[in-house]
Amino acid sequence: MPDLAPRFVRRVILPAAYLVLSGGFAISGVIFYRARPFDVKAAILSDLESPDDNPHGYGAAAAGTAASAALLAPAAIVFFRQLRREHPKLAMAGVVMFAVGLGAAMAIGILAPYTRGYTPVHVQLAYAAFIGICAGTWLDLLAARAAPAAIAIQGAVLVFLVYLYVGPDFINNDRLVTSLALLERLLCVDCGLALWALAKAVEGKDRAGAGRDRR
């Protein structure tokens, strides 16, 4: 793989990955609501890419999930290459967690045609995708010495996800604020913003390193 600049990651790869993911679920959602009344709480990502709940539209969501994860893989490698010089252990831990998260996301998309209901494998893969990507981002934010606010917010999101995985289940569809659909959208937005902040921090370190090399 040719060397990619952090600036290219921030300006091209990250927006493209987010657009592919959002576009896939948008197309899937349009098809999903053709045969039912609109209800935001019903737009659970797993249902949108389920052949049982969305037989005619799940393919768009599944393809978007797998393709966006594949697009993010080069970004994770760029982050690792830039950060391993000063913080090799954090950078290695970050790229490992990214591999777990992105691999799980690709598996969700690829296995979507064969998924029936909320199987244990699907649930575990969903948790692994979110936790892996959030953990990889947080570790790299630490290694990049990013803004303290970005590190703190991503750390809090990661703690919440781990708590959600091991703690009592309080997610339900009685209200929008406690719905799984809203939580999933917020997590996707958080991942996008945190990855952008990470790319910005890594880009700054890259420029600083280039300046030292010229001197």
Coordinates of all heavy atoms in Angstrom, one line a residue, residues 27-38 53-54 56-57:
I27 N -30.6 4.6 2.0 CA -31.3 3.8 1.0 C -32.1 2.7 1.6 O -33.2 2.4 1.3 CB -30.3 3.2 -0.1 CG1 -29.6 4.4 -0.8 CG2 -31.0 2.3 -1.0 CD1 -28.5 4.0 -1.7
S28 N -31.4 1.9 2.5 CA -32.1 0.8 3.2 C -33.3 1.3 4.0 O -34.4 0.7 4.0 CB -31.1 0.2 4.2 OG -31.7 -0.9 4.9
G29 N -33.2 2.5 4.6 CA -34.3 3.0 5.4 C -35.5 3.4 4.6 O -36.6 3.2 4.9
V30 N -35.2 4.0 3.4 CA -36.3 4.4 2.5 C -37.1 3.1 2.1 O -38.4 3.1 2.1 CB -35.8 5.0 1.2 CG1 -36.9 5.2 0.2 CG2 -35.2 6.4 1.6
I31 N -36.4 2.0 1.8 CA -37.1 0.8 1.4 C -37.8 0.2 2.6 O -38.9 -0.3 2.5 CB -36.1 -0.2 0.8 CG1 -35.5 0.4 -0.4 CG2 -36.8 -1.5 0.5 CD1 -34.3 -0.4 -1.0
F32 N -37.2 0.3 3.8 CA -37.7 -0.3 5.0 C -39.1 0.3 5.4 O -40.0 -0.4 5.8 CB -36.7 0.0 6.2 CG -37.1 -0.5 7.5 CD1 -37.0 -1.9 7.8 CD2 -37.5 0.4 8.5 CE1 -37.4 -2.4 9.1 CE2 -37.8 -0.1 9.8 CZ -37.8 -1.5 10.0
Y33 N -39.2 1.6 5.2 CA -40.4 2.3 5.6 C -41.5 2.4 4.5 O -42.6 3.0 4.7 CB -40.1 3.8 6.0 CG -39.5 3.9 7.4 CD1 -38.2 4.3 7.6 CD2 -40.3 3.5 8.5 CE1 -37.7 4.3 8.8 CE2 -39.7 3.6 9.8 CZ -38.4 4.0 9.9 OH -37.9 4.1 11.2
R34 N -41.3 1.7 3.4 CA -42.3 1.7 2.4 C -43.6 1.0 2.8 O -44.7 1.3 2.5 CB -41.8 1.0 1.1 CG -40.9 1.9 0.2 CD -40.4 1.2 -1.0 NE -39.5 2.0 -1.8 CZ -38.8 1.5 -2.8 NH1 -38.9 0.2 -3.1 NH2 -38.1 2.3 -3.5
A35 N -43.4 -0.1 3.6 CA -44.5 -0.9 4.0 C -44.9 -0.7 5.4 O -45.7 -1.5 6.0 CB -44.1 -2.4 3.8
R36 N -44.5 0.4 6.1 CA -44.8 0.6 7.5 C -44.8 2.1 7.8 O -44.2 2.9 7.1 CB -43.8 -0.1 8.4 CG -42.4 0.4 8.4 CD -41.5 -0.5 9.1 NE -41.2 -1.7 8.3 CZ -40.8 -2.8 8.8 NH1 -40.7 -2.9 10.1 NH2 -40.6 -3.8 8.1
P37 N -45.6 2.5 8.8 CA -45.6 3.9 9.2 C -44.2 4.3 9.7 O -43.5 3.5 10.3 CB -46.6 4.0 10.3 CG -46.7 2.6 10.8 CD -46.5 1.7 9.6
F38 N -43.9 5.6 9.5 CA -42.5 6.1 9.9 C -42.5 6.2 11.4 O -43.3 6.8 12.1 CB -42.2 7.4 9.3 CG -40.9 8.0 9.7 CD1 -39.8 7.5 9.0 CD2 -40.8 8.9 10.7 CE1 -38.5 8.0 9.4 CE2 -39.5 9.4 11.0 CZ -38.4 8.9 10.4
D53 N -36.3 -8.5 8.5 CA -37.1 -7.3 8.7 C -37.1 -6.4 7.5 O -38.0 -5.5 7.4 CB -36.5 -6.6 9.9 CG -36.6 -7.4 11.2 OD1 -37.7 -7.6 11.6 OD2 -35.5 -7.8 11.7
N54 N -36.1 -6.5 6.6 CA -35.9 -5.6 5.5 C -35.5 -6.4 4.3 O -34.4 -6.1 3.7 CB -34.9 -4.4 5.8 CG -35.0 -3.3 4.9 OD1 -35.9 -3.1 4.1 ND2 -34.0 -2.4 5.0
H56 N -36.0 -6.4 1.1 CA -35.7 -5.8 -0.2 C -34.6 -4.7 0.0 O -34.1 -4.2 -1.0 CB -36.9 -5.2 -0.8 CG -38.0 -6.2 -1.0 ND1 -37.9 -7.2 -1.9 CD2 -39.2 -6.3 -0.4 CE1 -39.0 -7.9 -1.9 NE2 -39.8 -7.4 -1.0
G57 N -34.3 -4.3 1.2 CA -33.4 -3.1 1.4 C -32.2 -3.4 2.2 O -31.3 -2.6 2.4

